[in-house]
Amino acid sequence: MSMFMKNCWYVAGWAHEIQSDALFTRTICGRRLVFWRDRAGALHAMDDRCCHRGAPLSIGRKEGDNIRCMYHGFLFDINGVCIEIPGYDKIPPKARVRSYAVVERSRWVWLWMGDPEQADEALIPDTHWLDDPGWACTPPGYLHFDVNYQLLNDNLLDFSHLAYVHANTLGGSEEYAQLRSKIERLPRGLRITRWFMDRPPAPFAEKLVRAKGISGNVDRWNNYDFLLPGVLIMDSGFAPAGSGAEKGHRDEAIEFRHCQVVTPETENSCHYFFAQPRNFDRDDEAVNQALYKSVLTAFGEDKAMITAQADSLKADPAFEPVACGLDAALGQFRWMIDRQIEAERQEAAGAPLSESVGHIEPAAAKLA
Amino acid sequence: MSMFMKNCWYVAGWAHEIQSDALFTRTICGRRLVFWRDRAGALHAMDDRCCHRGAPLSIGRKEGDNIRCMYHGFLFDINGVCIEIPGYDKIPPKARVRSYAVVERSRWVWLWMGDPEQADEALIPDTHWLDDPGWACTPPGYLHFDVNYQLLNDNLLDFSHLAYVHANTLGGSEEYAQLRSKIERLPRGLRITRWFMDRPPAPFAEKLVRAKGISGNVDRWNNYDFLLPGVLIMDSGFAPAGSGAEKGHRDEAIEFRHCQVVTPETENSCHYFFAQPRNFDRDDEAVNQALYKSVLTAFGEDKAMITAQADSLKADPAFEPVACGLDAALGQFRWMIDRQIEAERQEAAGAPLSESVGHIEPAAAKLA
Amino acid sequence: MSMFMKNCWYVAGWAHEIQSDALFTRTICGRRLVFWRDRAGALHAMDDRCCHRGAPLSIGRKEGDNIRCMYHGFLFDINGVCIEIPGYDKIPPKARVRSYAVVERSRWVWLWMGDPEQADEALIPDTHWLDDPGWACTPPGYLHFDVNYQLLNDNLLDFSHLAYVHANTLGGSEEYAQLRSKIERLPRGLRITRWFMDRPPAPFAEKLVRAKGISGNVDRWNNYDFLLPGVLIMDSGFAPAGSGAEKGHRDEAIEFRHCQVVTPETENSCHYFFAQPRNFDRDDEAVNQALYKSVLTAFGEDKAMITAQADSLKADPAFEPVACGLDAALGQFRWMIDRQIEAERQEAAGAPLSESVGHIEPAAAKLA
């Protein structure tokens, strides 16, 4: 398990996936978890495995706030403590299942896998656009990738691929690949800035841009924070070329706040949750569906490429990639994850928590 | 292979599975075997692998009592000795395939995997009810489980699961889980006694009990011997509450003699053979089919639970179950298997056979 | 990778599989390769993996003679050298992909996996019958086997299996298994001679033989060179019994020049390419299709047997085959492969190339 950060908030799912009358199971960072709501609607999570003989609790039974294992009847409370063994008055103190901090915010379920003492909700990145009435949002998006999560992080940290993988969807001109991103270090991630000036709009946006009365070229931006463990929050949009969007003049622009997260499932698979809030055509369901379809198509293109890449890497574990300037951001982010995993390892071994991986304000807030 | 007992009788299949004009293959304890009948109908078994280049003999050809490999034509007799190599007069002494003792009894095929010298037929448990004209028997049952055999043994050694896994079939009231079994040690297994007094009948038996004119509550019993390597022979039934069944008065009772065996296939899979002889409605095919369907449904419930359990355990091999009183019988039986495997290991290494794992009369005989 | 010879020519495919407007991928000896044609039609091959992030090049784009990776746009020339990274003027010297010598000859694509300095085209076995206008040839044959390539080599090196595996197709009388082959050592392979005199023709050939006016028994021969790494070139045919075919009198004979090659894909799978040139009924498409169907049926029989054998061997890696005279040729050929692999290992470690594995003329030429 040392390949995953633990002291961080992962998106474990969409809030609506966990219904009040059902148990929900998902594997995160190699652990099978069961999620449920108590009678007040609050979320809870624990290992999806009875401490008795290992049966999954997710095929158990909700009883009030608690869950009963349906193999031999052990009953667990919201903290994972066994509170009943049929036929036995005495319950062994070890009879408990590990529980996890879980928080519902802006339609996403955030899960803390590590030290519960450090589970500070202030560290949850701000994605309020997902349920902000001032923004319209595409339907909740989800794709499952049979690849290590870092390959999807890599993909999201180098937008030059838009010109090739997404030539007919998110990308467009191959000139887009010639751009250099500006990359800045944040306390828990990277800030990436890409401005593509005075060019035709990307294929997926052309109709939207024209409908806004922008007839010529556009200035396009893809500015995003990419935060540990794998949270992309992006300010992007299109404005008439030369209208000064890069200086903050956005009256004629159409804007998005993409929210996309990568959550490890196992060593060789990951979850991808995403939605695209926008500030225009907010009540237009046709626009909503068209955007959703564009994004699904494009992310399907990523999935095909990254899955083929993973197959290729699996065939020869000795392969050493030849790095170039394109890899600056992803190289830094892989280093940040490695550093945090190492810090957690040292902490588990008794060393004091180093300053560099401590609590810091979520950088994403600055995007709003 | 050290995970399986060898000096014991395993049920390898139903006798009718091995037809006189065909070769039959099944994997037992990790070894692929070929079974066949000679011209007199007697059963034989050997490794399903030609000693020449390893081709399976089960895709070979029966020639009289013998089997010819259909790759290059080696011919083997009932003892696995190669008696012909096409084009060669001289046959290497090593050209032989390991054969096994195999015995047909009461519709089951019993196989001895270990030292042939110790293959004492007196050790075969008595399951005469399977073809005793005084009893009627459900059709031959078989299920394949993709789990280690010990998980199915565990299941059969703790009937408290009937209240949860089989609530609507074999079980019924959750009070059944409150019962404590009486557990006694036998020379080669355990004897388990469960009496559930003055309660409504189990769901599967309700119609049968009422048809016998028993209108009120019943006394129910599930008393079984569970013998090495995994043979369950159970005396069970329902009698009018208070009619004295537990003291031997069974005139008004309906009785079963369940015969169920667990045979390892590989480390991660096993065979489950079963049938339910009864002493009532012996000629009623509708009752026969209804019982068969009930049992199949219930064992399907076991299979779903145990397979989910096995998946859960596979996901984290470091899991340590928290034991409780429910585990007394299965803990003892696992210990007995471990002890026998260890004794066989020592014996193979040259140590004398310890008294505790020697020949003992089959305890099941006492059930008749 | 030490389980494969590298300094030898493997058949990588049929020439028509590599079209001028497409990229073609196939795994050979555990390496995924991409094959393509330049604008002049010449063949090229390199690792199917971009040196940048490992994406497959076979899902890239042909640009003139070159291939562009469609993940981030790296462009490679026919030697595997990266000649463009979008947005970067400087290309790291390490930015290249390993390329391989590849030669198109007589409809087959021959690939050299090892030291390019030793890739001597004179070592390519002669299979000119495949496109010689004096011979007619069955359609290009291909089968994929999920077995180690040596099991298929073994099969081809012991024709006694024809009597059992191919009783109703290539074989016929079980007497054919009684024959002893003459086996001679060639510099890079073995020469095997089998004459089967004065017997009825094989089932697949009966109609053809009778159509030639041969009404009685025939003399049949299967004389082949089996060359490293796994190339079978066979002179076979049927002549009237006693007409002197074994002394070279073939006026009344029908003759074949079977060309069959085994190419490793991975440790547990291989490719099988084959065709059957003949010198009779050259324009008769019905004969062509009938022969093709016979061969496909027969090789399907081999595939079923060898796949079952491989499953059997996988179930018990400790199995040691009992050798007999039938194994003389396959034992020698396995030894020759082992010796070459060892020689390549020593050479890689700096030792001088031993004489025994050096350049030698292709023995197959002697068959013409």
Side-chain angles (χ1 to χ4, degrees):
Chain A
M1 295 296 162
S2 64
M3 66 166 3
F4 306 117
M5 293 174 51
K6 292 298 177 62
N7 285 333
C8 60
W9 291 102
Y10 284 106
V11 171
W14 290 96
H16 70 264
E17 293 183 287
I18 307 169
Q19 295 287 304
S20 60
D21 54 354
L23 301 170
F24 179 76
T25 183
R26 178 161 280 150
T27 296
I28 310 282
C29 295
R31 292 192 83 85
R32 299 182 186 207
L33 307 176
V34 58
F35 299 83
W36 76 106
R37 293 182 187 278
D38 61 27
R39 284 167 296 186
L43 286 175
H44 303 283
M46 61 181 172
D47 281 342
D48 185 16
R49 184 180 65 194
C50 181
C51 61
H52 174 221
R53 307 292 310 166
L57 295 167
S58 58
I59 55 172
R61 183 169 70 195
K62 270 191 69 176
E63 297 189 2
D65 295 344
N66 307 316
I67 296 184
R68 188 182 296 279
C69 176
M70 286 300 279
Y71 198 171
H72 303 99
F74 280 45
L75 185 67
F76 299 92
D77 71 10
I78 56 168
N79 298 310
V81 176
C82 179
I83 55 177
E84 185 189 324
I85 298 176
Y88 291 85
D89 293 333
K90 211 171 159 185
I91 294 170
K94 281 189 173 177
R96 56 181 305 163
V97 171
R98 184 174 171 190
S99 64
Y100 299 89
V102 59
V103 173
E104 182 172 352
R105 188 167 297 173
S106 298
R107 302 174 64 193
W108 273 348
V109 176
W110 295 87
L111 172 81
W112 185 271
M113 299 286 289
D115 177 9
E117 295 294 310
Q118 300 183 41
D120 179 358
E121 296 189 19
L123 288 171
I124 296 176
D126 176 15
T127 61
H128 73 272
W129 305 275
L130 291 174
D131 61 359
D132 184 325
W135 293 75
C137 190
T138 48
Y142 175 74
L143 284 171
H144 182 270
F145 280 52
D146 282 317
V147 306
N148 181 278
Y149 69 100
Q150 301 227 45
L151 292 182
L152 185 45
N153 284 352
D154 290 348
N155 172 280
L156 294 169
L157 281 160
D158 177 7
F159 266 36
S160 75
H161 79 271
L162 268 64
Y164 301 102
V165 176
H166 306 304
N168 302 312
T169 51
L170 307 183
S173 160
E174 292 191 14
E175 281 186 299
Y176 188 80
Q178 307 285 336
L179 268 186
R180 303 273 181 108
S181 295
K182 181 178 161 198
I183 303 169
E184 296 164 276
R185 184 75 62 86
L186 302 174
R188 289 178 75 92
L190 298 171
R191 171 159 299 166
I192 293 177
T193 312
R194 282 178 86 90
W195 283 93
F196 194 49
M197 310 302 282
D198 198 13
R199 293 295 195 298
F204 87 97
E206 174 146 27
K207 204 170 158 189
L208 301 171
V209 162
R210 299 311 174 213
K212 287 291 143 202
I214 306 174
S215 56
N217 276 353
V218 294
D219 295 338
R220 175 186 186 178
W221 65 98
N222 292 99
N223 302 334
Y224 56 102
D225 288 357
F226 200 79
L227 306 171
L228 293 174
V231 179
L232 178 149
I233 301 169
M234 178 161 63
D235 168 17
S236 85
F238 301 86
S243 63
E246 80 281 17
K247 291 175 198 118
H249 303 301
R250 297 195 176 181
D251 292 348
E252 298 168 76
I254 61 173
E255 297 182 45
F256 297 91
R257 292 295 181 279
H258 301 259
C259 298
Q260 302 168 201
V261 295
V262 181
T263 301
E265 183 185 52
T266 67
E267 189 178 342
N268 296 311
S269 60
C270 61
H271 308 288
Y272 191 26
F273 302 99
F274 50 85
Q276 280 64 41
R278 69 186 183 280
N279 71 352
F280 61 95
D281 294 339
R282 289 182 294 180
D283 298 324
D284 190 330
E285 186 57 21
V287 166
N288 208 41
Q289 287 297 325
L291 280 171
Y292 180 57
K293 198 182 156 193
S294 292
V295 167
L296 272 189
T297 301
F299 290 2
E301 291 166 341
D302 287 316
K303 182 170 170 171
M305 176 59 77
I306 300 171
T307 303
Q309 177 195 20
D311 282 350
S312 173
L313 296 175
K314 193 163 53 182
D316 182 7
F319 169 68
E320 291 189 17
V322 173
C324 72
L326 294 171
D327 307 314
L330 65 91
Q332 287 184 56
F333 200 76
R334 280 178 172 257
W335 175 85
M336 292 173 87
I337 287 181
D338 287 348
R339 191 185 54 164
Q340 168 110 6
I341 290 171
E342 174 59 19
E344 292 181 10
R345 195 193 60 76
Q346 288 180 16
E347 194 183 346
L353 184 64
S354 82
E355 179 260 344
S356 61
V357 293
H359 289 194
I360 37 207
E361 84 281 11
K366 295 173 188 161
L367 264 183
Chain B
M1 293 297 164
S2 66
M3 65 164 5
F4 306 118
M5 294 173 51
K6 293 296 177 63
N7 285 334
C8 60
W9 290 103
Y10 284 106
V11 172
W14 289 96
H16 70 263
E17 293 183 288
I18 307 169
Q19 295 287 304
S20 61
D21 54 355
L23 301 170
F24 180 75
T25 183
R26 179 161 279 150
T27 296
I28 310 282
C29 295
R31 292 192 82 87
R32 301 182 186 207
L33 307 175
V34 58
F35 298 84
W36 76 107
R37 292 182 187 278
D38 60 27
R39 285 166 296 186
L43 285 176
H44 303 281
M46 61 180 170
D47 281 342
D48 184 16
R49 185 180 65 194
C50 180
C51 62
H52 175 221
R53 307 293 309 166
L57 294 168
S58 58
I59 56 173
R61 183 169 69 194
K62 269 189 72 175
E63 296 189 4
D65 295 344
N66 307 317
I67 295 184
R68 187 182 297 278
C69 176
M70 287 301 277
Y71 198 172
H72 304 99
F74 280 45
L75 185 68
F76 299 91
D77 72 9
I78 58 167
N79 298 312
V81 175
C82 179
I83 54 177
E84 185 189 324
I85 298 176
Y88 292 84
D89 292 333
K90 209 172 160 186
I91 295 170
K94 279 189 175 176
R96 56 182 304 163
V97 171
R98 183 173 173 191
S99 64
Y100 299 88
V102 59
V103 173
E104 182 172 350
R105 189 167 298 171
S106 298
R107 302 174 65 193
W108 273 347
V109 177
W110 295 87
L111 173 80
W112 186 272
M113 299 287 288
D115 177 10
E117 296 294 311
Q118 300 183 42
D120 180 357
E121 295 188 22
L123 287 170
I124 296 175
D126 176 16
T127 61
H128 73 271
W129 306 274
L130 291 173
D131 61 0
D132 185 324
W135 293 75
C137 189
T138 48
Y142 174 73
L143 284 171
H144 182 271
F145 280 52
D146 282 318
V147 308
N148 181 279
Y149 69 101
Q150 302 228 44
L151 292 182
L152 185 45
N153 284 352
D154 290 347
N155 172 279
L156 293 169
L157 283 159
D158 177 7
F159 267 35
S160 75
H161 79 271
L162 268 64
Y164 301 102
V165 176
H166 306 306
N168 302 312
T169 51
L170 307 183
S173 160
E174 292 190 16
E175 280 186 300
Y176 187 81
Q178 308 285 334
L179 269 186
R180 302 274 181 108
S181 294
K182 181 178 162 198
I183 303 168
E184 295 164 278
R185 184 75 61 86
L186 303 173
R188 288 177 75 90
L190 298 171
R191 172 159 297 167
I192 293 176
T193 312
R194 283 178 85 89
W195 283 93
F196 193 49
M197 311 302 281
D198 197 13
R199 294 294 196 297
F204 86 98
E206 175 147 27
K207 205 170 156 190
L208 302 172
V209 163
R210 298 311 172 211
K212 289 289 143 204
I214 306 175
S215 57
N217 277 352
V218 295
D219 294 340
R220 174 185 187 180
W221 63 98
N222 293 99
N223 301 335
Y224 56 102
D225 287 356
F226 200 81
L227 305 171
L228 292 173
V231 179
L232 178 147
I233 301 169
M234 178 161 62
D235 167 17
S236 84
F238 301 86
S243 62
E246 80 281 17
K247 291 178 200 114
H249 304 301
R250 296 195 177 182
D251 292 347
E252 299 169 73
I254 61 174
E255 295 183 48
F256 298 91
R257 292 295 181 275
H258 300 259
C259 299
Q260 302 169 199
V261 294
V262 181
T263 301
E265 181 184 54
T266 67
E267 188 177 344
N268 296 309
S269 61
C270 61
H271 308 287
Y272 189 27
F273 302 98
F274 50 86
Q276 280 65 40
R278 70 185 182 280
N279 71 352
F280 61 94
D281 295 338
R282 289 184 294 179
D283 298 324
D284 190 330
E285 185 58 21
V287 165
N288 207 40
Q289 287 297 324
L291 279 171
Y292 180 57
K293 197 181 157 193
S294 291
V295 167
L296 272 189
T297 301
F299 290 1
E301 292 166 341
D302 286 316
K303 182 170 171 170
M305 176 60 77
I306 299 171
T307 303
Q309 177 196 20
D311 282 349
S312 173
L313 296 175
K314 193 163 53 180
D316 181 8
F319 169 69
E320 292 188 17
V322 174
C324 71
L326 294 170
D327 307 314
L330 65 92
Q332 286 184 57
F333 200 76
R334 281 178 171 257
W335 173 85
M336 292 172 86
I337 286 180
D338 287 348
R339 191 186 56 166
Q340 167 111 5
I341 289 171
E342 174 59 19
E344 292 180 9
R345 195 193 61 74
Q346 287 179 19
E347 193 184 348
L353 184 64
S354 83
E355 180 261 344
S356 61
V357 293
H359 290 194
I360 37 206
E361 85 281 12
K366 298 172 186 163
L367 266 183
Chain C
M1 294 298 162
S2 66
M3 66 164 1
F4 306 117
M5 294 173 50
K6 293 296 177 63
N7 286 334
C8 60
W9 292 102
Y10 284 107
V11 171
W14 289 97
H16 70 264
E17 293 184 289
I18 306 169
Q19 295 287 303
S20 61
D21 55 353
L23 301 169
F24 180 75
T25 183
R26 181 162 279 151
T27 296
I28 311 283
C29 295
R31 293 192 82 85
R32 299 181 186 207
L33 307 176
V34 59
F35 299 83
W36 76 107
R37 293 183 187 276
D38 61 27
R39 284 167 296 184
L43 285 176
H44 303 282
M46 60 180 172
D47 280 341
D48 185 16
R49 184 181 65 195
C50 181
C51 62
H52 175 220
R53 307 293 310 165
L57 294 168
S58 57
I59 56 172
R61 184 170 69 195
K62 269 191 69 175
E63 297 188 4
D65 294 344
N66 307 316
I67 296 185
R68 188 182 296 280
C69 177
M70 287 301 277
Y71 198 171
H72 303 99
F74 281 45
L75 185 68
F76 299 91
D77 72 9
I78 57 167
N79 298 310
V81 175
C82 180
I83 55 176
E84 186 190 322
I85 298 176
Y88 291 84
D89 293 333
K90 211 170 160 185
I91 294 171
K94 282 188 174 175
R96 56 182 305 163
V97 171
R98 183 174 172 190
S99 65
Y100 300 88
V102 59
V103 173
E104 181 172 351
R105 190 168 296 173
S106 297
R107 300 174 67 193
W108 273 347
V109 177
W110 295 87
L111 172 81
W112 185 272
M113 299 287 288
D115 177 10
E117 295 294 311
Q118 301 182 41
D120 180 357
E121 294 189 21
L123 289 170
I124 296 176
D126 177 15
T127 61
H128 73 271
W129 305 274
L130 291 173
D131 60 359
D132 185 324
W135 293 75
C137 189
T138 48
Y142 175 73
L143 283 172
H144 182 270
F145 281 51
D146 282 317
V147 308
N148 182 278
Y149 69 100
Q150 302 228 42
L151 292 182
L152 185 45
N153 284 351
D154 290 349
N155 172 279
L156 293 169
L157 283 158
D158 178 6
F159 267 35
S160 74
H161 79 272
L162 266 64
Y164 301 101
V165 176
H166 305 305
N168 302 314
T169 51
L170 308 183
S173 158
E174 292 190 15
E175 281 186 299
Y176 188 80
Q178 308 284 336
L179 269 186
R180 301 272 181 111
S181 294
K182 180 176 162 203
I183 303 169
E184 296 164 277
R185 183 75 61 87
L186 302 175
R188 287 177 75 91
L190 298 170
R191 172 159 298 168
I192 294 176
T193 311
R194 282 179 86 90
W195 283 93
F196 194 49
M197 310 304 281
D198 198 14
R199 294 293 195 300
F204 86 97
E206 173 145 31
K207 204 169 156 189
L208 301 171
V209 162
R210 299 310 173 212
K212 288 291 144 205
I214 309 174
S215 56
N217 275 352
V218 294
D219 294 340
R220 175 186 186 179
W221 65 99
N222 292 100
N223 301 334
Y224 56 102
D225 287 357
F226 199 79
L227 305 171
L228 292 174
V231 179
L232 179 148
I233 301 169
M234 178 162 62
D235 168 19
S236 85
F238 301 86
S243 61
E246 80 282 16
K247 294 178 197 113
H249 304 302
R250 296 197 178 181
D251 292 347
E252 299 169 75
I254 61 173
E255 297 183 45
F256 298 91
R257 293 295 181 278
H258 301 260
C259 299
Q260 302 169 201
V261 294
V262 181
T263 302
E265 182 184 53
T266 66
E267 188 177 343
N268 296 311
S269 60
C270 62
H271 308 287
Y272 190 25
F273 303 98
F274 50 85
Q276 280 65 39
R278 69 185 182 280
N279 71 352
F280 60 94
D281 294 338
R282 287 183 296 179
D283 298 323
D284 190 329
E285 184 58 21
V287 165
N288 207 40
Q289 288 296 324
L291 280 171
Y292 180 58
K293 199 182 156 192
S294 291
V295 168
L296 272 190
T297 301
F299 291 1
E301 291 166 341
D302 287 316
K303 183 170 170 170
M305 177 59 77
I306 300 171
T307 303
Q309 177 195 22
D311 282 349
S312 173
L313 296 175
K314 193 162 53 180
D316 182 7
F319 169 69
E320 291 188 16
V322 174
C324 72
L326 294 171
D327 307 313
L330 66 91
Q332 287 183 57
F333 200 76
R334 280 178 171 258
W335 174 85
M336 293 173 87
I337 287 181
D338 288 347
R339 190 186 57 164
Q340 168 109 6
I341 290 171
E342 175 59 18
E344 293 181 10
R345 195 193 61 74
Q346 288 179 18
E347 193 184 348
L353 184 63
S354 84
E355 180 260 344
S356 61
V357 294
H359 289 193
I360 37 206
E361 84 281 11
K366 297 172 189 164
L367 264 183

